Amino acid sequence: MAGVQTAVALREQGFTGSLTLIGAEPHQPYDRPPLSKAVLLGNAEGSALDVDFEGLGVGLHLGREVSGLRPDAHELDTEAGPVPYDTLVIATGAEPLTLPGAEGVKGVHLLRTLDDARRLRPVLEHKHDIVVVGAGWIGAEFATAARQAGCAVTVVEAADRPLAGALPAEVTAPMAEWYAESGASLITGARVAAVEPGAVVLAESAGAGAETGGGTDAVGAGGRRLTAGAVVVGIGARPATRWLAGSGVALGADGSVTADERLRTSLPDVYAVGDCASFPSRRYGRRLLVHHWDNALQGPRTVAANVLRDMRGEPPLSYDPVPYFWSEQFGRFVQYAGHHEGAGTLVWRGDPASGSGWSVLWLRSEDSGRHGVLAAVLAVGRPRDVTQGRRLIEAGARLDPARAADPGVPLKAAVA
């Protein structure tokens, strides 16, 4: 998405020079969100992006992996030979983390690419018993699809709750109940000791946390043994930047390219955008690494503008978006806008136990002494809260907590 959108934005903004787009996968560039939904369930063969590369004059090189960058020569190293560049945009995305000890074991899957989704489709069609390792966003979405397909699903999470790395405990508490409602079993506080053909073995101390739903497991020599016709690993992703080793491109501890506010890297004529790049946010006072679709759509517009502005000697633009993402899981549409880390006040709108939609707001204080500035909003089945909340975050709006807590009051009417 990020690479394609950069090429499209360059043409839309008037770039007339040569454009080359290189991708390691052999497929036409595609959209990823359908992989855990329509493609996985067999409702679509693919999700190719509707872009006329020939009409845009974009040279598309597929199935061509880039192995290195030599900035002094202004060249990329590929298996088909060096590729020169005047300006380079790095948009290599992220790669899924693998489960130690599970590599090469038959029946173990990741879900990141079109080929991954196609390999998993027959697993769902044959209604295998499935163990999902990781109760994050991708784990929940895959578990949702597997239950829709009629599979028995057990989700194993090392933390004490789902989405532990993304949201605070009080917010994820109602989400944990969604697993049992769907017929999936959720085991928290559980670490995988081994993955064997047909089974996942948990550590002896695993499962000391909560368990919801039913499961098909027994106690084995190493601990609990879960029946697994297939294992899907969804324990996170890291920026796909290993190929940049020794190039001089500065990387953060998380592996991300540390781009500046213009999305430029530490090297001249090299930009980075999407899942592989972090950027400083003035709005939140910290560097952000955003692994979501909207970032891969918005960032390229800034990159394209700055490439052209640099050519014309014009002042650059800064990239400081309000992060946004969505997730469809267990019959719920979950949306999030903003960044809640460091925000001190949590405000609930609606009761999750009521069965209707609900939202959570994060409010923070600013150095100016203004209290109640909206930092982030998460909504379950309340899309208007996110639409209005995103605009209020962009505006730096301050909310009246009492009015904001009333689900009958539109958020824009709760501005203090």
Side-chain angles (χ1 to χ4, degrees), residues 37-65:
K37 306 171 185 71
V39 175
L40 187 62
L41 290 169
N43 298 325
E45 279 303 310
S47 55
L49 295 168
D50 186 16
V51 176
D52 180 4
F53 293 101
E54 184 177 354
L56 287 174
V58 176
L60 196 58
H61 297 270
L62 303 175
R64 190 172 185 179
E65 188 167 355

Side-chain angles (χ1 to χ4, degrees), residues 258-278:
T258 53
D260 65 12
E261 69 279 1
R262 307 172 186 180
L263 296 179
R264 300 178 308 180
T265 73
S266 57
L267 294 179
D269 306 318
V270 180
Y271 294 77
V273 67
D275 289 4
C276 69
S278 63

Side-chain angles (χ1 to χ4, degrees), residues 347-362:
V347 177
W348 287 83
R349 284 170 59 82
D351 181 4
S354 68
S356 58
W358 53 276
S359 299
V360 176
L361 312 176
W362 284 269

